[in-house]
PDB file of all heavy atoms in Angstrom:
ATOM      1  N   ALA A   1       4.776 -20.464  -3.911  1.00 98.00           N
ATOM      2  CA  ALA A   1       4.204 -21.098  -5.220  1.00 98.00           C
ATOM      3  C   ALA A   1       3.071 -20.360  -5.828  1.00 98.00           C
ATOM      4  O   ALA A   1       2.957 -20.111  -7.044  1.00 98.00           O
ATOM      5  CB  ALA A   1       3.813 -22.545  -4.910  1.00 98.00           C
ATOM      6  N   ALA A   2       2.149 -19.826  -4.949  1.00 98.00           N
ATOM      7  CA  ALA A   2       1.045 -18.997  -5.456  1.00 98.00           C
ATOM      8  C   ALA A   2       1.516 -17.712  -6.094  1.00 98.00           C
ATOM      9  O   ALA A   2       1.026 -17.324  -7.205  1.00 98.00           O
ATOM     10  CB  ALA A   2       0.068 -18.720  -4.425  1.00 98.00           C
ATOM     11  N   MET A   3       2.541 -17.089  -5.549  1.00 98.00           N
ATOM     12  CA  MET A   3       3.033 -15.865  -6.137  1.00 98.00           C
ATOM     13  C   MET A   3       3.779 -16.134  -7.454  1.00 98.00           C
ATOM     14  O   MET A   3       3.627 -15.395  -8.422  1.00 98.00           O
ATOM     15  CB  MET A   3       4.189 -15.282  -5.161  1.00 98.00           C
ATOM     16  CG  MET A   3       3.394 -14.660  -3.889  1.00 98.00           C
ATOM     17  SD  MET A   3       2.491 -13.122  -4.275  1.00 98.00           S
ATOM     18  CE  MET A   3       3.742 -11.975  -4.839  1.00 98.00           C
ATOM     19  N   TYR A   4       4.502 -17.285  -7.585  1.00 98.00           N
ATOM     20  CA  TYR A   4       5.223 -17.613  -8.813  1.00 98.00           C
ATOM     21  C   TYR A   4       4.079 -17.999  -9.781  1.00 98.00           C
ATOM     22  O   TYR A   4       4.189 -17.549 -11.043  1.00 98.00           O
ATOM     23  CB  TYR A   4       6.043 -18.720  -8.568  1.00 98.00           C
ATOM     24  CG  TYR A   4       6.746 -19.237  -9.834  1.00 98.00           C
ATOM     25  CD1 TYR A   4       7.818 -18.544 -10.481  1.00 98.00           C
ATOM     26  CD2 TYR A   4       6.210 -20.360 -10.501  1.00 98.00           C
ATOM     27  CE1 TYR A   4       8.298 -19.013 -11.751  1.00 98.00           C
ATOM     28  CE2 TYR A   4       6.751 -20.796 -11.724  1.00 98.00           C
ATOM     29  CZ  TYR A   4       7.780 -20.130 -12.331  1.00 98.00           C
ATOM     30  OH  TYR A   4       8.266 -20.535 -13.589  1.00 98.00           O
ATOM     31  N   GLY A   5       3.180 -18.895  -9.436  1.00 98.00           N
ATOM     32  CA  GLY A   5       2.198 -19.401 -10.471  1.00 98.00           C
ATOM     33  C   GLY A   5       1.188 -18.455 -10.882  1.00 98.00           C
ATOM     34  O   GLY A   5       0.731 -18.589 -12.077  1.00 98.00           O
ATOM     35  N   GLY A   6       0.748 -17.456 -10.031  1.00 98.00           N
ATOM     36  CA  GLY A   6      -0.326 -16.619 -10.374  1.00 98.00           C
ATOM     37  C   GLY A   6      -0.185 -15.983 -11.738  1.00 98.00           C
ATOM     38  O   GLY A   6      -1.137 -16.133 -12.584  1.00 98.00           O
ATOM     39  N   PRO A   7       0.896 -15.288 -12.025  1.00 98.00           N
ATOM     40  CA  PRO A   7       1.019 -14.640 -13.359  1.00 98.00           C
ATOM     41  C   PRO A   7       0.963 -15.569 -14.564  1.00 98.00           C
ATOM     42  O   PRO A   7       0.776 -15.164 -15.677  1.00 98.00           O
ATOM     43  CB  PRO A   7       2.265 -13.913 -13.287  1.00 98.00           C
ATOM     44  CG  PRO A   7       2.636 -13.795 -11.829  1.00 98.00           C
ATOM     45  CD  PRO A   7       1.972 -14.965 -11.142  1.00 98.00           C
ATOM     46  N   LEU A   8       1.255 -16.813 -14.258  1.00 98.00           N
ATOM     47  CA  LEU A   8       1.255 -17.913 -15.351  1.00 98.00           C
ATOM     48  C   LEU A   8      -0.065 -18.546 -15.532  1.00 98.00           C
ATOM     49  O   LEU A   8      -0.186 -19.541 -16.367  1.00 98.00           O
ATOM     50  CB  LEU A   8       2.355 -18.918 -14.996  1.00 98.00           C
ATOM     51  CG  LEU A   8       3.769 -18.380 -14.864  1.00 98.00           C
ATOM     52  CD1 LEU A   8       4.690 -19.550 -14.374  1.00 98.00           C
ATOM     53  CD2 LEU A   8       4.267 -17.771 -16.110  1.00 98.00           C
ATOM     54  N   GLY A   9      -0.968 -18.219 -14.603  1.00 98.00           N
ATOM     55  CA  GLY A   9      -2.324 -18.860 -14.724  1.00 98.00           C
ATOM     56  C   GLY A   9      -2.345 -20.176 -13.944  1.00 98.00           C
ATOM     57  O   GLY A   9      -3.342 -20.953 -14.122  1.00 98.00           O
ATOM     58  N   ILE A  10      -1.379 -20.395 -13.073  1.00 98.00           N
ATOM     59  CA  ILE A  10      -1.332 -21.558 -12.274  1.00 98.00           C
ATOM     60  C   ILE A  10      -1.770 -21.181 -10.870  1.00 98.00           C
ATOM     61  O   ILE A  10      -1.083 -20.454 -10.157  1.00 98.00           O
ATOM     62  CB  ILE A  10       0.062 -22.242 -12.192  1.00 98.00           C
ATOM     63  CG1 ILE A  10       0.510 -22.502 -13.719  1.00 98.00           C
ATOM     64  CG2 ILE A  10       0.088 -23.429 -11.380  1.00 98.00           C
ATOM     65  CD1 ILE A  10       1.994 -22.854 -13.712  1.00 98.00           C
ATOM     66  N   ARG A  11      -2.945 -21.775 -10.469  1.00 98.00           N
ATOM     67  CA  ARG A  11      -3.458 -21.409  -9.115  1.00 98.00           C
ATOM     68  C   ARG A  11      -2.984 -22.452  -8.121  1.00 98.00           C
ATOM     69  O   ARG A  11      -3.019 -23.640  -8.363  1.00 98.00           O
ATOM     70  CB  ARG A  11      -4.942 -21.377  -9.088  1.00 98.00           C
ATOM     71  CG  ARG A  11      -5.503 -20.275  -9.979  1.00 98.00           C
ATOM     72  CD  ARG A  11      -7.039 -20.137  -9.809  1.00 98.00           C
ATOM     73  NE  ARG A  11      -7.724 -21.370 -10.129  1.00 98.00           N
ATOM     74  CZ  ARG A  11      -8.207 -22.267  -9.329  1.00 98.00           C
ATOM     75  NH1 ARG A  11      -8.137 -22.024  -8.047  1.00 98.00           N
ATOM     76  NH2 ARG A  11      -8.792 -23.383  -9.752  1.00 98.00           N
ATOM     77  N   VAL A  12      -2.402 -22.009  -6.972  1.00 98.00           N
ATOM     78  CA  VAL A  12      -2.024 -22.835  -5.979  1.00 98.00           C
ATOM     79  C   VAL A  12      -2.724 -22.444  -4.644  1.00 98.00           C
ATOM     80  O   VAL A  12      -2.718 -21.324  -4.202  1.00 98.00           O
ATOM     81  CB  VAL A  12      -0.516 -22.834  -5.630  1.00 98.00           C
ATOM     82  CG1 VAL A  12      -0.092 -23.932  -4.601  1.00 98.00           C
ATOM     83  CG2 VAL A  12       0.278 -23.067  -6.963  1.00 98.00           C
ATOM     84  N   ASN A  13      -3.388 -23.485  -4.001  1.00 99.00           N
ATOM     85  CA  ASN A  13      -4.253 -23.225  -2.788  1.00 99.00           C
ATOM     86  C   ASN A  13      -3.990 -24.405  -1.854  1.00 99.00           C
ATOM     87  O   ASN A  13      -3.325 -25.402  -2.208  1.00 99.00           O
ATOM     88  CB  ASN A  13      -5.652 -23.088  -3.136  1.00 99.00           C
ATOM     89  CG  ASN A  13      -6.069 -21.764  -3.849  1.00 99.00           C
ATOM     90  OD1 ASN A  13      -5.951 -20.785  -3.337  1.00 99.00           O
ATOM     91  ND2 ASN A  13      -6.414 -21.900  -5.173  1.00 99.00           N
ATOM     92  N   ALA A  14      -4.512 -24.343  -0.621  1.00 98.00           N
ATOM     93  CA  ALA A  14      -4.395 -25.437   0.322  1.00 98.00           C
ATOM     94  C   ALA A  14      -5.630 -25.601   1.029  1.00 98.00           C
ATOM     95  O   ALA A  14      -6.471 -24.679   1.265  1.00 98.00           O
ATOM     96  CB  ALA A  14      -3.301 -25.095   1.264  1.00 98.00           C
ATOM     97  N   VAL A  15      -5.939 -26.814   1.419  1.00 98.00           N
ATOM     98  CA  VAL A  15      -7.007 -27.310   2.363  1.00 98.00           C
ATOM     99  C   VAL A  15      -6.377 -27.525   3.669  1.00 98.00           C
ATOM    100  O   VAL A  15      -5.326 -28.232   3.799  1.00 98.00           O
ATOM    101  CB  VAL A  15      -7.821 -28.395   1.728  1.00 98.00           C
ATOM    102  CG1 VAL A  15      -6.934 -29.650   1.623  1.00 98.00           C
ATOM    103  CG2 VAL A  15      -8.935 -28.605   2.644  1.00 98.00           C
ATOM    104  N   ALA A  16      -7.006 -27.112   4.712  1.00 98.00           N
ATOM    105  CA  ALA A  16      -6.498 -27.358   6.105  1.00 98.00           C
ATOM    106  C   ALA A  16      -7.545 -28.107   6.826  1.00 98.00           C
ATOM    107  O   ALA A  16      -8.390 -27.553   7.559  1.00 98.00           O
ATOM    108  CB  ALA A  16      -6.222 -25.995   6.773  1.00 98.00           C
ATOM    109  N   PRO A  17      -7.441 -29.389   6.822  1.00 97.00           N
ATOM    110  CA  PRO A  17      -8.291 -30.270   7.572  1.00 97.00           C
ATOM    111  C   PRO A  17      -8.192 -30.170   9.118  1.00 97.00           C
ATOM    112  O   PRO A  17      -7.099 -29.922   9.546  1.00 97.00           O
ATOM    113  CB  PRO A  17      -8.080 -31.727   7.079  1.00 97.00           C
ATOM    114  CG  PRO A  17      -7.214 -31.566   5.842  1.00 97.00           C
ATOM    115  CD  PRO A  17      -6.529 -30.307   5.991  1.00 97.00           C
ATOM    116  N   GLY A  18      -9.360 -30.292   9.739  1.00 94.00           N
ATOM    117  CA  GLY A  18      -9.250 -30.421  11.235  1.00 94.00           C
ATOM    118  C   GLY A  18      -9.167 -31.921  11.596  1.00 94.00           C
ATOM    119  O   GLY A  18      -8.434 -32.684  10.998  1.00 94.00           O
ATOM    120  N   ILE A  19      -9.908 -32.337  12.525  1.00 91.00           N
ATOM    121  CA  ILE A  19      -9.941 -33.764  12.949  1.00 91.00           C
ATOM    122  C   ILE A  19     -10.737 -34.601  12.068  1.00 91.00           C
ATOM    123  O   ILE A  19     -11.991 -34.528  11.981  1.00 91.00           O
ATOM    124  CB  ILE A  19     -10.405 -33.893  14.416  1.00 91.00           C
ATOM    125  CG1 ILE A  19      -9.454 -33.159  15.414  1.00 91.00           C
ATOM    126  CG2 ILE A  19     -10.557 -35.345  14.767  1.00 91.00           C
ATOM    127  CD1 ILE A  19      -9.689 -33.288  16.810  1.00 91.00           C
ATOM    128  N   VAL A  20     -10.011 -35.437  11.230  1.00 94.00           N
ATOM    129  CA  VAL A  20     -10.676 -36.372  10.382  1.00 94.00           C
ATOM    130  C   VAL A  20     -10.099 -37.750  10.632  1.00 94.00           C
ATOM    131  O   VAL A  20      -8.954 -38.022  10.353  1.00 94.00           O
ATOM    132  CB  VAL A  20     -10.458 -36.017   8.963  1.00 94.00           C
ATOM    133  CG1 VAL A  20     -11.102 -36.987   7.943  1.00 94.00           C
ATOM    134  CG2 VAL A  20     -10.877 -34.503   8.619  1.00 94.00           C
ATOM    135  N   PRO A  21     -10.833 -38.608  11.349  1.00 88.00           N
ATOM    136  CA  PRO A  21     -10.331 -39.949  11.689  1.00 88.00           C
ATOM    137  C   PRO A  21      -9.908 -40.764  10.418  1.00 88.00           C
ATOM    138  O   PRO A  21     -10.706 -41.064   9.587  1.00 88.00           O
ATOM    139  CB  PRO A  21     -11.457 -40.646  12.476  1.00 88.00           C
ATOM    140  CG  PRO A  21     -12.278 -39.510  12.963  1.00 88.00           C
ATOM    141  CD  PRO A  21     -12.132 -38.413  11.902  1.00 88.00           C
ATOM    142  N   THR A  22      -8.593 -41.098  10.289  1.00 81.00           N
ATOM    143  CA  THR A  22      -8.084 -41.932   9.260  1.00 81.00           C
ATOM    144  C   THR A  22      -7.004 -42.781   9.861  1.00 81.00           C
ATOM    145  O   THR A  22      -6.671 -42.555  11.063  1.00 81.00           O
ATOM    146  CB  THR A  22      -7.538 -41.141   8.048  1.00 81.00           C
ATOM    147  OG1 THR A  22      -6.277 -40.510   8.552  1.00 81.00           O
ATOM    148  CG2 THR A  22      -8.480 -40.114   7.528  1.00 81.00           C
ATOM    149  N   THR A  23      -6.472 -43.734   9.136  1.00 76.00           N
ATOM    150  CA  THR A  23      -5.486 -44.590   9.684  1.00 76.00           C
ATOM    151  C   THR A  23      -4.195 -43.918   9.901  1.00 76.00           C
ATOM    152  O   THR A  23      -3.316 -44.310  10.625  1.00 76.00           O
ATOM    153  CB  THR A  23      -5.242 -45.778   8.738  1.00 76.00           C
ATOM    154  OG1 THR A  23      -4.927 -45.306   7.449  1.00 76.00           O
ATOM    155  CG2 THR A  23      -6.472 -46.681   8.725  1.00 76.00           C
ATOM    156  N   LEU A  24      -4.114 -42.627   9.289  1.00 68.00           N
ATOM    157  CA  LEU A  24      -2.777 -41.983   9.465  1.00 68.00           C
ATOM    158  C   LEU A  24      -2.475 -41.622  10.858  1.00 68.00           C
ATOM    159  O   LEU A  24      -1.342 -41.829  11.388  1.00 68.00           O
ATOM    160  CB  LEU A  24      -2.891 -40.609   8.646  1.00 68.00           C
ATOM    161  CG  LEU A  24      -1.692 -39.732   8.667  1.00 68.00           C
ATOM    162  CD1 LEU A  24      -0.529 -40.238   7.855  1.00 68.00           C
ATOM    163  CD2 LEU A  24      -2.075 -38.265   8.125  1.00 68.00           C
ATOM    164  N   PHE A  25      -3.514 -41.135  11.626  1.00 59.00           N
ATOM    165  CA  PHE A  25      -3.238 -40.719  12.987  1.00 59.00           C
ATOM    166  C   PHE A  25      -3.611 -41.879  13.988  1.00 59.00           C
ATOM    167  O   PHE A  25      -2.996 -41.933  15.081  1.00 59.00           O
ATOM    168  CB  PHE A  25      -4.097 -39.509  13.326  1.00 59.00           C
ATOM    169  CG  PHE A  25      -3.438 -38.302  12.849  1.00 59.00           C
ATOM    170  CD1 PHE A  25      -3.867 -37.677  11.632  1.00 59.00           C
ATOM    171  CD2 PHE A  25      -2.373 -37.657  13.509  1.00 59.00           C
ATOM    172  CE1 PHE A  25      -3.309 -36.536  11.177  1.00 59.00           C
ATOM    173  CE2 PHE A  25      -1.821 -36.564  12.952  1.00 59.00           C
ATOM    174  CZ  PHE A  25      -2.199 -35.918  11.753  1.00 59.00           C
ATOM    175  N   SER A  26      -4.373 -42.747  13.700  1.00 60.00           N
ATOM    176  CA  SER A  26      -4.586 -43.982  14.541  1.00 60.00           C
ATOM    177  C   SER A  26      -3.300 -44.680  14.709  1.00 60.00           C
ATOM    178  O   SER A  26      -2.983 -45.222  15.687  1.00 60.00           O
ATOM    179  CB  SER A  26      -5.764 -44.843  14.020  1.00 60.00           C
ATOM    180  OG  SER A  26      -5.482 -45.325  12.824  1.00 60.00           O
TER     181      SER A  26
END
């Protein structure tokens, strides 16, 4: 997506969380 979007001015990035207690994993 970043390769496709870059020339169009569309930036695609990602955040990679570590251990963050939420109800998702509990």
Side-chain angles (χ1 to χ4, degrees):
M3 288 293 293
Y4 174 79
L8 304 174
I10 303 167
R11 296 186 303 103
V12 184
N13 292 287
V15 61
I19 293 181
V20 181
T22 67
T23 56
L24 180 70
F25 282 98
S26 61

